[in-house]
Amino acid sequence: MSPDDARARWAGSGALALTGDAAGPELVAPRGTVERIVALGAALGVDALALLVERAAVAGLSRRGAVSCGGATRLLPVGGGGWLAVSLARPDDVDLVPAWLGLAGPPADVWAAVATAARGAPDAAALAAAGAGLGLAVGALPRSPPEAAGAGVAEPVVAERVGEAPPLAGRPLVVDLSSLWAGPLCTRLLGERGSRVVKVEATGRPDGARQGPPAFFDLLHAGQRSVALDFRDPAGLDRLRRLVGAADVVVEASRPRALAQLGIAPAGQRVWLSITGHGRTGAAADRVAFGDDAAVAGGLVAWGGDGRPRFVADAVADPLTGLAAAGAVTAALAAGGRWRLDAALSRVAAAVAGTDAGATWAPARPGEAVAPVAPRPRGRAPDLGADTGGVLAELGIG
């Protein structure tokens, strides 16, 4: 891909319009970054760049520089050097800030308090670790770019073959336990390739994306079937376990301890995909992450000519991870056998940033940016639990 072609594709997708300060100029991604994003989609025959902007197009979001397009995450300078991304997307996150910063009580202006603490902190990574330990979604921007792929940068999705299996007959049954964006985008792409997708939600805690723009939820879930179960009820939990056991592919984005409490674990599925913030094993397994802070933790930011980072597009690690995960599931099914896949948002972001992490992004030319556009949904997403009885009956689950 030539530099001009990469620039044109970034601009024409709408991603350019979502990257940079609100007052401009928009920032153009390096050619290598564009190439790596395009490659994620090429493996599935889809336009990856177009998928990055769908939510912003539906919700009417725009670029805001060091504030995420959605407004819940900010990039803050740290006094001892470095940058910190902090997401306060949930009321509980705001409530945790005093404990994180050692304050006597709730601050009058929570973002001012966080910014002040960051300026006074000697180390971004230590401040991020303290927040993560409380359950906050925070990410420290790496101080140096990763090495070239193949010499230190991990693959976007870690794949482990754990057993053998006979050839798959018919269309794969995908049971989706995930929510929000990355996991649902993965299962949408699998459904477009012929898989039967069943979205499973808890009756008491359905997918939070149902509270967002209906058109975006329709984009992700039209053509799927919806099962809703009461995870607190022994009968509902038994049905959940049996449904998971009947799946060819399970997609989940829960912290390991949450699944363990439900008695849910891999047991014979051909592919078990875990979508995580920072990896499903080790000390980071229980860390919370969202698309914007995870992108920063992976080094995927847009550096302006002033030496300050900006967010790239809208929660970019989410759609990138959905793409990478769908490609990995497709490859695993084609290879045969049984697989465990770990698609970590920050790792996918790091792989996409690659050796361009730290490079200055060029400013856009006047009139170069194109507004993001979302496709028309293929139909309506099913109502919560609309297909519970039918799906359970088909699978012999009483």
Side-chain angles (χ1 to χ4, degrees), residues 18 53-64 69-70 213 314 372:
L18 297 175
V53 306
E54 288 184 343
R55 188 180 76 162
V58 169
L61 304 180
S62 58
R63 67 186 182 279
R64 302 172 69 178
C69 291
D314 171 33

Side-chain angles (χ1 to χ4, degrees), residues 229-361:
L229 300 168
D230 185 352
F231 294 0
R232 298 164 299 182
D233 176 67
L237 192 53
D238 177 67
R239 293 186 182 101
L240 172 64
R241 293 169 182 153
R242 293 170 67 187
L243 180 55
V244 168
D248 298 303
V249 178
V250 170
V251 176
E252 52 89 3
S254 300
R255 287 183 280 181
R257 64 187 181 191
L259 288 179
Q261 289 170 353
L262 296 175
I264 302 295
Q269 297 84 2
R270 293 174 182 269
V271 180
W272 186 285
L273 168 67
S274 297
I275 293 180
T276 63
H278 302 279
R280 61 174 298 277
T281 59
D286 284 319
R287 283 186 60 184
V288 175
F290 298 113
D292 288 302
D293 58 90
V296 172
L300 183 56
V301 295
W303 289 97
D306 58 0
R308 298 173 65 87
R310 280 81 171 172
F311 288 108
V312 175
D314 171 33
V316 70
D318 270 318
L320 290 177
T321 301
L323 278 158
V329 171
T330 300
L333 289 173
R338 303 189 191 280
W339 295 82
R340 296 290 305 276
L341 306 179
D342 176 11
L345 275 69
S346 61
R347 190 190 313 115
V348 173
V352 168
T355 54
D356 292 304
T360 300
W361 291 35

Side-chain angles (χ1 to χ4, degrees), residues 137-181:
V138 291
L141 182 64
R143 286 182 175 268
S144 59
E147 298 172 348
V153 173
E155 287 295 317
V157 179
V158 174
E160 178 187 6
R161 187 165 185 154
V162 295
E164 301 304 319
L168 180 64
R171 299 163 59 200
L173 173 62
V174 178
V175 170
D176 182 10
L177 306 179
S178 69
S179 60
L180 300 179
W181 194 354

